[in-house]
Amino acid sequence: MIRKFKTDIAGCARIYSDMSKIFKRTKILATIGPAVSTEQKVEELIMAGVNGCRLNFSHGDNETRDKQIEWVRKAAQKKGRSVAMIQDLQGPKIRLGIVKDNHYDVKEGDELILDSAIKEQKKNGILPLQYNLAPKVKVGEPIYIFDGKIRTHVTEIVSETAIKVVAENDGFVMNNKGLNLPETDFGGDILTPKDMADIEWGATRDFDYVALSFIQCADDIHKLRQILREHDSNAKIIAKIETKKAVESDKTLEEIVKASDVIMVARGDMAVEAGAEIVPIVQRKLVTFCREHGKLCIVATQTMGSMVDNPEPTRAEVSDVANAVIQGVDVVMLSDETANGKYPLETVKALKKVILYTQNNSTVAPVANDPKSNNRKYDAISNAAARLAENIGADVIVCQTASGATGLAMAAQRPNLPIVAVTGDTRVANQLALAYATSAFVRPYSVNVGIELAKELKASGYLQVPKGKKDLVAVIVSGNRDFCGTDTIKVRQI
């Protein structure tokens, strides 16, 4: 059974208060969009506490994305922190084309033709599609349009490019609104030609992670990993869990977790495709699987949704975020809140406030099994370091890591104190920016680089000696990369 750290909440609060300058354990991932599409606004987000930036490839153009990547990297350098860059592929996100006058009323019982051969609506009853569904769907399968606002089912395959559906309720549709197909099996064909072009472009840019949409099974992850290798990309893979097929069994979920590097609980499309009532349970299962397998976990969609239009979150949103923190997620993601909202900076500050208060006044829920990554030695060393740090009342864990594996193993232990990771690889540092409780720094390798960094950070004021103490107590996890890798735990007073 996994160790259970002491639940001294008052003591935790005291430590967190002393170390609050760096100690936001659950990280913030923000989507970059029109609301923050200037260098100054991106810098403000990162200075406010954003640890990763997501570019949604369902929207925008590559020229704009090049500017956004540059802004993120400049802001991260200015702050002296590592920040992760995420390329979020559109996947088979089926959307309507251009609807006449951007509004088309639908009545219950209406028959609609959905045709991928046209781009703009010319006639009533015929709507353009951006994806050819004719070879994929079967008669009787449900299709939900506009985030489920219009529910239909397939009645006929009209041609090689068109299908007929009948509406089950009244409503309306607009330009480019999405479709969900909860019963349709895409047969592993979830990477579209657009995705392939975006992957090729992204491989020449500075992305640390690639997010794959509408995953149905672990094979989807394996296929993307092979494609990334063919393009000489060492980006890690985020598996977005949002389809009914992906969540139909715990076995499928766990296989996806094991095949991926990061899991994103994509609650919006999941709710439409599989039912809103399943989302909290699936989220809990995924967080547990991720923690037990040493994988990062992101909770996404409407975490602060009301702040798109309002300067304060609702109590339900605050509870939602606090629950994710208590479950032990690595990252909470903002979508429309920062991409299109009226209060992007205020949203980041509000989210950070909830994260800090929750972790200062609660403890992370335990899981049944010890974390088990692909490297059992690193798991054991990290477990021992976390126990040692707690038992001696250490102030910080400093982790030397070349590939990032030791850093991830350390974060998976969910210690109640900050983790400072040091690596010689900028890519690794950026990827670790999303890891639980971890601040990553890039320094040239040496056997004692961890101790040297701790001294540097103390001198700069980044690491502060808690009140009543004379020295900073650090647990150093290290090793010799040229021989056997991580193999040593040291205690140092700095």
Side-chain angles (χ1 to χ4, degrees), residues 91-92 131 136 185-193 214 216 220 223:
Y131 186 94
K136 302 292 183 184
D185 186 352
F186 283 85
D189 185 21
I190 66 166
L191 283 171
T192 67
F214 297 98
Q216 296 188 324
D220 295 331
K223 289 176 183 177

Side-chain angles (χ1 to χ4, degrees), residues 25 68 152 188 212 224 260 274 308 335 476 486:
R25 291 188 295 170
Q68 292 166 337
T152 75
L212 183 58
L224 175 58
S260 65
V308 170
S335 298
I476 314 291
T486 302

Side-chain angles (χ1 to χ4, degrees), residues 385-432:
R387 286 173 176 267
L388 174 63
E390 183 204 30
N391 289 336
I392 67 173
D395 303 305
V396 63
I397 297 173
V398 181
C399 181
Q400 295 179 201
T401 181
S403 68
T406 306
L408 291 173
M410 194 71 252
Q413 299 297 325
R414 298 298 190 261
N416 287 330
L417 67 165
I419 302 168
V420 170
V422 57
T423 177
D425 190 326
T426 300
R427 173 77 67 223
V428 170
N430 290 336
Q431 290 169 342
L432 286 173

Side-chain angles (χ1 to χ4, degrees), residues 122-135:
K122 301 294 184 183
K123 299 179 181 179
N124 289 341
I126 302 177
L127 297 175
L129 270 185
Q130 298 181 25
Y131 186 94
N132 186 8
L133 287 176

Side-chain angles (χ1 to χ4, degrees), residues 152-437:
T152 75
H153 61 269
V154 180
T155 59
E156 183 182 348
I157 310 301
V158 176
S159 70
E160 292 182 353
T161 63
I163 63 173
K164 182 185 289 186
V165 300
V166 62
E168 298 174 359
N169 62 283
D170 297 348
F172 67 92
V173 297
M174 301 169 66
N175 294 343
N176 303 316
K177 291 305 176 183
L179 281 68
N180 292 92
L181 295 86
E183 304 292 343
T184 301
D185 186 352
F186 283 85
D189 185 21
I190 66 166
L191 283 171
T192 67
K194 170 179 164 48
D195 294 330
M196 295 301 292
D198 289 338
I199 290 169
E200 184 175 359
W201 181 85
T204 65
R205 265 59 179 183
D206 201 17
F207 289 108
D208 305 301
Y209 292 94
V210 175
L212 183 58
S213 300
F214 297 98
I215 283 172
Q216 296 188 324
C217 62
D219 282 344
D220 295 331
I221 304 291
H222 299 315
K223 289 176 183 177
L224 175 58
R225 201 176 297 281
Q226 182 60 37
I227 292 169
L228 290 174
R229 287 171 180 162
E230 290 170 359
H231 287 86
D232 295 322
S233 171
N234 57 4
K236 292 193 173 185
I237 296 175
I238 300 174
K240 297 172 68 175
I241 307 301
E242 51 198 330
T243 66
K244 186 176 182 179
K245 188 171 183 180
V247 303
E248 65 186 1
S249 74
D250 288 356
K251 180 180 179 181
T252 300
L253 279 179
E254 190 165 14
E255 287 175 348
I256 292 172
V257 169
K258 291 164 69 175
S260 65
D261 302 303
V262 186
I263 290 293
M264 181 187 293
V265 191
R267 303 182 298 180
D269 281 299
M270 187 196 302
V272 175
E273 295 222 353
E277 70 279 0
I278 79 160
V279 173
I281 303 303
V282 172
Q283 175 177 316
R284 184 176 291 274
K285 287 179 180 179
L286 284 169
V287 173
T288 299
F289 285 146
C290 284
R291 288 179 59 186
E292 291 182 344
H293 290 288
K295 304 300 177 77
L296 304 188
C297 187
I298 302 169
V299 166
T301 316
Q302 296 179 332
T303 51
M304 291 274 173
S306 70
M307 291 192 73
V308 170
D309 298 304
N310 301 294
E312 296 287 339
T314 66
R315 288 186 293 276
E317 289 163 349
V318 170
S319 295
D320 180 35
V321 171
N323 183 57
V325 173
I326 292 169
Q327 288 176 8
V329 301
D330 294 271
V331 185
V332 175
M333 190 177 95
L334 299 170
S335 298
D336 284 346
E337 299 96 329
T338 52
N340 300 300
K342 296 178 182 178
Y343 304 98
L345 186 60
E346 291 84 352
T347 301
V348 171
K349 291 179 178 179
L351 180 56
K352 182 178 179 180
K353 186 177 180 181
V354 175
I355 291 170
L356 287 173
Y357 186 85
T358 303
Q359 67 184 35
N360 290 1
N361 293 279
S362 184
T363 54
V364 175
V367 292
N369 301 308
D370 286 323
K372 295 179 181 178
S373 70
N374 293 329
N375 192 313
R376 301 305 301 278
K377 182 180 81 168
Y378 291 175
D379 294 338
I381 290 172
S382 298
N383 184 294
R387 286 173 176 267
L388 174 63
E390 183 204 30
N391 289 336
I392 67 173
D395 303 305
V396 63
I397 297 173
V398 181
C399 181
Q400 295 179 201
T401 181
S403 68
T406 306
L408 291 173
M410 194 71 252
Q413 299 297 325
R414 298 298 190 261
N416 287 330
L417 67 165
I419 302 168
V420 170
V422 57
T423 177
D425 190 326
T426 300
R427 173 77 67 223
V428 170
N430 290 336
Q431 290 169 342
L432 286 173
L434 295 185
Y436 188 87

Side-chain angles (χ1 to χ4, degrees), residues 442-456:
V442 180
R443 297 291 187 275
Y445 170 76
S446 70
V447 174
N448 295 316
V449 66
I451 297 172
E452 293 166 359
L453 177 62
K455 292 178 180 178
E456 175 191 332

Side-chain angles (χ1 to χ4, degrees), residues 392 394-398 454 472-476 490-494:
I392 67 173
D395 303 305
V396 63
I397 297 173
V398 181
L472 191 77
V473 179
V475 171
I476 314 291
K490 303 173 185 176
V491 179
R492 292 289 182 267
Q493 289 184 297
I494 298 170

